[in-house]
Amino acid sequence: MGPNLTNVTRVLSRIEEINRRIMPDMYNSPTEPMRSRFVDVLNDVNKARRTANSRSNVSGKTSYVELKDIIDECAEKYNIDNELIRAMIQVESGWDTQAVSNKGAQGLMQLMPRTSAMLGVNDPFDPAQNIEGGVRYISDLTDKYRGDIEKALAAYNAGPTRVDSGNIPEVSKRYVKNIMAIYRRLREAG
């Protein structure tokens, strides 16, 4: 006789119930199959990474020169300085299109899966989609914080809820400081 998993099953059912309330679209979408198990979501992420790796170089490293047209187009479209986008990519991923953080953020601008979905980014490892999504998001945050780039960057990193509550983590403060230093340097270099 195996271990009694009644309590585990009960907890998992409760988690699924909460998820259904928080993200009903995920469970009611006719095109997306329901994913109630963490392992299924993890497998989807790994499959997306393998697919992305197969169509780009192994390391995923790229450069500003290779992405200049995409960055310039997004900078103009969303009214965000080209240099700010470059600074964010440098700090977020070091120009690695295949970057995945220990928290699950993906691609050049390190979009979280839920943020990607919210922004309509289907392939976070595609540089054009990732940059478009990231720039759109920082633009929205800049609007939310009435042009305060540092608050927008803190919200990009820690989430708007933390910024709104005034509870910005130290790691996010360093993140903002690093990006702003690179941003100023790039602007001075012209």
Side-chain angles (χ1 to χ4, degrees):
M1 181 167 204
N4 183 350
L5 299 176
T6 306
N7 288 335
V8 173
T9 304
R10 201 175 301 141
V11 169
L12 289 173
S13 294
R14 181 67 178 135
I15 290 170
E16 184 175 341
E17 178 186 336
I18 291 168
N19 279 334
R20 284 180 186 277
R21 289 181 184 175
I22 294 171
M23 301 177 291
D25 294 343
M26 181 177 150
Y27 291 91
N28 297 329
S29 172
T31 59
E32 272 300 306
M34 186 174 87
R35 292 183 188 95
S36 60
R37 298 182 323 155
F38 176 74
V39 71
D40 294 332
V41 175
L42 188 59
N43 285 338
D44 288 348
V45 169
N46 286 333
K47 186 172 20 168
R49 285 194 72 195
R50 283 192 301 274
T51 301
N53 281 334
S54 70
R55 62 174 179 258
S56 67
N57 62 29
V58 175
S59 72
K61 285 288 186 176
T62 188
S63 69
Y64 169 65
V65 173
E66 293 174 85
L67 300 173
K68 182 181 183 324
D69 291 342
I70 296 167
I71 292 169
D72 289 346
E73 182 180 314
C74 290
E76 186 175 332
K77 181 176 181 179
Y78 293 104
N79 197 29
I80 295 292
D81 286 345
N82 172 302
E83 296 87 358
L84 181 62
I85 299 166
R86 291 169 59 191
M88 289 178 71
I89 293 172
Q90 179 61 44
V91 170
E92 288 286 357
S93 66
W95 298 93
D96 185 352
T97 62
Q98 304 305 308
V100 177
S101 76
N102 59 353
K103 293 190 179 187
Q106 303 169 325
L108 288 165
M109 296 194 75
Q110 291 291 275
L111 300 175
M112 293 298 288
R114 285 186 68 186
T115 305
S116 289
M118 175 186 79
L119 297 166
V121 174
N122 298 318
D123 182 357
F125 300 106
D126 175 77
Q129 286 188 44
N130 189 282
I131 293 170
E132 170 101 17
V135 175
R136 179 174 155 210
Y137 189 45
I138 193 65
S139 176
D140 290 348
L141 292 169
T142 303
D143 290 345
K144 174 181 171 67
Y145 296 107
R146 297 186 175 125
D148 187 331
I149 294 171
E150 292 187 16
K151 265 191 179 177
L153 288 168
Y156 189 96
N157 183 260
T161 304
R162 284 192 172 166
V163 172
D164 294 345
S165 71
N167 187 22
I168 302 171
E170 284 302 315
V171 68
S172 295
K173 291 176 183 177
R174 284 192 304 275
Y175 167 87
V176 171
K177 186 177 178 180
N178 289 340
I179 288 180
M180 292 305 291
I182 294 169
Y183 175 48
R184 287 183 191 104
R185 204 168 44 240
L186 289 169
R187 288 195 67 161
E188 288 171 6

